[in-house]
Amino acid sequence: MCQFNFIIVQHSGAAADYLESLGYYCFCSLQHGYDAYSWGRTECCNCGSMVGSLEYRLKNEGKYPNSLNSGDYKRAIQKEIKILNQMIELQEEDNFSKKVNEFTFKLEAVHNKLEEYCTSKGQVGFGPWMVDLGEEGAELWEKFEKFFEEGENTIINYARIYTKIQLKERINERISCNYNMHEYRYYRRIFSRLLKLEPCIYFTHVWSQPGELNLVNTLTLDQLRIGDLALLAQDDVIKICRKDTVAL
């Protein structure tokens, strides 16, 4: 699966023309005359993006999304650094290989059950778009997603994938004062230009295909902070408006 960041604007409007002039393309058409634009060619994706990169770090605190602030973003980074260090510590344990084998066995059991169900329904592959596979399919997908939620499974999963050097490089990125700010400023510039062409635009990120998109926050460009993008959950949408537009 791949991540795609979507800038959502009105169909065939000046904003759409501007995005296309920057190399964006229409990934898909949505309801109410809007199109979702993603950058680059159809084979490009946004894996590794700052957007949604801290999605799970403050998930259970009850502040998402309207009460988040710049301090929460910094806390999320510190929490990320702590987890990365835990991955390094896990790799140094004598029984690390045994834990990885046990994790892999459990993962394959959940994966195989979901794959068997999808195959029985004529579905090739699986992902968040499984909403069409009924209640049982949705439950299996939820179980698969929860398997990777924050906790020991998440730590083991990434500790088995990334080397100690890669984990330390990621920690150094997080410590850097400029961590992900270049991408945030890039989106701010584009949003600023688009808001001269349309009163409001929308932004989200999805995995492979859009699921059920959910509007979670409305704000002006002046109110937008890096945490609004970095902590944004998959398929959750923020609406960004001009100052002179009443945010409804």
Side-chain angles (χ1 to χ4, degrees):
M1 294 189 296
C2 289
Q3 175 174 334
F4 295 93
N5 299 340
F6 286 169
I7 300 176
I8 301 172
V9 298
Q10 293 180 20
H11 175 70
S12 299
D17 292 340
Y18 173 69
L19 287 174
E20 289 176 2
S21 74
L22 296 180
Y24 281 74
Y25 71 99
C26 180
F27 187 99
C28 62
S29 294
L30 304 173
Q31 295 178 335
H32 311 300
Y34 281 85
D35 291 331
Y37 277 81
S38 184
W39 183 83
R41 304 177 305 278
T42 54
E43 63 266 26
C44 290
C45 67
N46 297 111
C47 292
S49 169
M50 164 272 296
V51 176
S53 61
L54 299 170
E55 173 182 346
Y56 292 107
R57 294 298 168 242
L58 305 179
K59 184 176 180 181
N60 299 321
E61 293 191 6
K63 299 179 68 176
Y64 177 85
N66 295 338
S67 299
L68 294 172
N69 56 45
S70 57
D72 292 314
Y73 171 69
K74 293 176 182 177
R75 283 197 306 109
I77 289 179
Q78 291 303 315
K79 195 170 183 180
E80 177 91 347
I81 291 172
K82 180 180 178 180
I83 291 172
L84 291 169
N85 278 317
Q86 288 175 335
M87 293 175 191
I88 293 174
E89 292 170 1
L90 179 64
Q91 289 179 340
E92 295 173 344
E93 292 182 6
D94 294 336
N95 63 343
F96 175 59
S97 296
K98 179 181 178 181
K99 287 187 175 182
V100 169
N101 290 336
E102 291 174 349
F103 169 87
T104 304
F105 179 79
K106 293 176 183 177
L107 172 61
E108 288 179 350
V110 177
H111 179 279
N112 291 340
K113 188 172 290 187
L114 181 56
E115 193 171 54
E116 287 171 6
Y117 179 81
C118 291
T119 302
S120 71
K121 297 295 182 180
Q123 171 75 47
V124 179
F126 55 85
W129 58 89
M130 283 182 54
V131 289
D132 294 333
L133 292 181
E135 185 176 343
E136 184 180 353
E139 289 177 357
L140 287 170
W141 172 251
E142 184 179 2
K143 185 176 180 180
F144 182 75
E145 278 193 316
K146 283 186 175 180
F147 188 82
F148 293 101
E149 283 187 0
E150 186 175 311
E152 187 176 8
N153 280 347
T154 298
I155 294 171
I156 294 176
N157 184 42
Y158 284 97
R160 75 189 177 111
I161 295 173
Y162 296 103
T163 66
K164 187 182 297 185
I165 293 176
Q166 290 173 318
L167 292 171
K168 287 183 176 180
E169 287 176 348
R170 183 171 289 195
I171 289 172
N172 290 333
E173 288 177 353
R174 276 23 176 196
I175 293 173
S176 170
C177 294
N178 294 320
Y179 168 60
N180 284 332
M181 287 302 294
H182 63 286
E183 187 180 1
Y184 167 65
R185 294 190 184 104
Y186 163 78
Y187 278 118
R188 275 191 66 98
R189 287 195 300 270
I190 291 182
F191 295 161
S192 178
R193 301 279 179 84
L194 291 173
L195 289 173
K196 293 177 181 178
L197 304 173
E198 291 187 5
C200 296
I201 59 172
Y202 300 84
F203 186 81
T204 187
H205 69 100
V206 306
W207 284 101
S208 295
Q209 293 287 338
E212 184 176 347
L213 299 182
N214 179 38
L215 181 65
V216 296
N217 201 5
T218 300
L219 65 168
T220 65
L221 186 61
D222 286 347
Q223 295 170 324
L224 183 71
R225 299 292 182 267
I226 187 171
D228 294 310
L229 304 184
L231 292 162
L232 186 67
Q234 166 192 321
D235 292 327
D236 279 357
V237 181
I238 54 173
K239 181 179 182 180
I240 307 166
C241 300
R242 289 198 299 241
K243 278 185 177 181
D244 59 353
T245 302
V246 178
L248 297 175

